[in-house]
Amino acid sequence: MLIEERTVADADLAGLLDAAFAELVRRYGAEGRSVVKAGARYLVAYVGTCAAGCGAIQPASADTGELKRMYVTPEFRGRGLARMLLAALEDLARDMGYQTVRLATGVKQPEAISLYEDSGYVRVEPYGMYTHQPLTRCYEKAVRAPGAGDPASNVDQISR
């Protein structure tokens, strides 16, 4: 597997984002897509030449990044790709200077909730636009700067 940083104009990334939104519509109905802020940085995971997953880190505050658009295509689920992609996104957040990563997911995505909880994310009170959305669950995780006692970084897996 290779994880590469891509821009929002990238065709592979656009296809993954469309597939992610289609899956959310199937699970929740035709609700609006949350906005990804300017300054977000995207990663795309490849298995061979196939774009298999994506995610982004966007600015939330001076010390907090927000995980957005985390998605793995159905044919590549169950192989550990989501866990590796999440670790690479956490590395990216550290590289961007963030001490914390937060995210919002939905109750109809039990596999995402399990991934985040198993990866050390703790549930927090809903924030921002998620405050009055009962199907949303918000999580947060502290990420340390490289060299601050973290296990080996995944930076070697990321092509920038």
Side-chain angles (χ1 to χ4, degrees):
M1 182 181 69
L2 175 68
I3 298 174
E4 295 184 324
E5 187 165 356
R6 296 295 177 105
T7 68
V8 73
D10 180 78
D12 287 340
L13 176 60
L16 289 166
L17 295 175
D18 287 345
F21 185 64
E23 184 168 323
L24 290 175
V25 168
R26 280 192 302 279
R27 291 185 190 217
Y28 296 98
E31 297 179 14
R33 204 186 295 216
S34 63
V35 176
V36 177
K37 297 176 183 175
R41 292 173 60 186
Y42 293 86
L43 297 180
V44 173
Y46 287 89
V47 175
T49 60
C50 187
C54 65
I57 298 290
Q58 75 175 9
S61 70
D63 66 350
T64 302
E66 184 176 17
L67 179 68
K68 301 291 282 185
R69 304 297 189 262
M70 178 81 180
Y71 176 73
V72 173
T73 60
E75 61 269 25
F76 289 105
R77 293 178 187 164
R79 299 183 187 188
L81 190 141
R83 201 167 298 282
M84 288 185 279
L85 181 57
L86 181 59
L89 286 158
E90 290 170 355
D91 285 343
L92 178 60
R94 276 190 287 275
D95 290 350
M96 294 170 74
Y98 298 126
Q99 297 173 13
T100 304
V101 173
R102 71 179 185 185
L103 64 93
T105 192
V107 297
K108 295 182 181 180
Q109 295 166 267
E111 62 284 332
I113 290 170
S114 179
L115 170 68
Y116 299 134
E117 290 178 351
D118 289 350
S119 298
Y121 285 79
V122 294
R123 193 160 167 199
V124 296
E125 289 297 316
Y127 56 87
M129 69 178 278
Y130 307 110
T131 303
H132 300 293
Q133 294 183 5
L135 298 180
T136 300
R137 297 293 177 263
C138 295
Y139 290 87
E140 189 172 277
K141 180 180 179 179
V143 292
R144 291 187 264 265
D150 284 351
S153 170
N154 294 306
V155 171
D156 292 339
Q157 296 180 18
I158 302 172
S159 172
R160 292 198 176 113

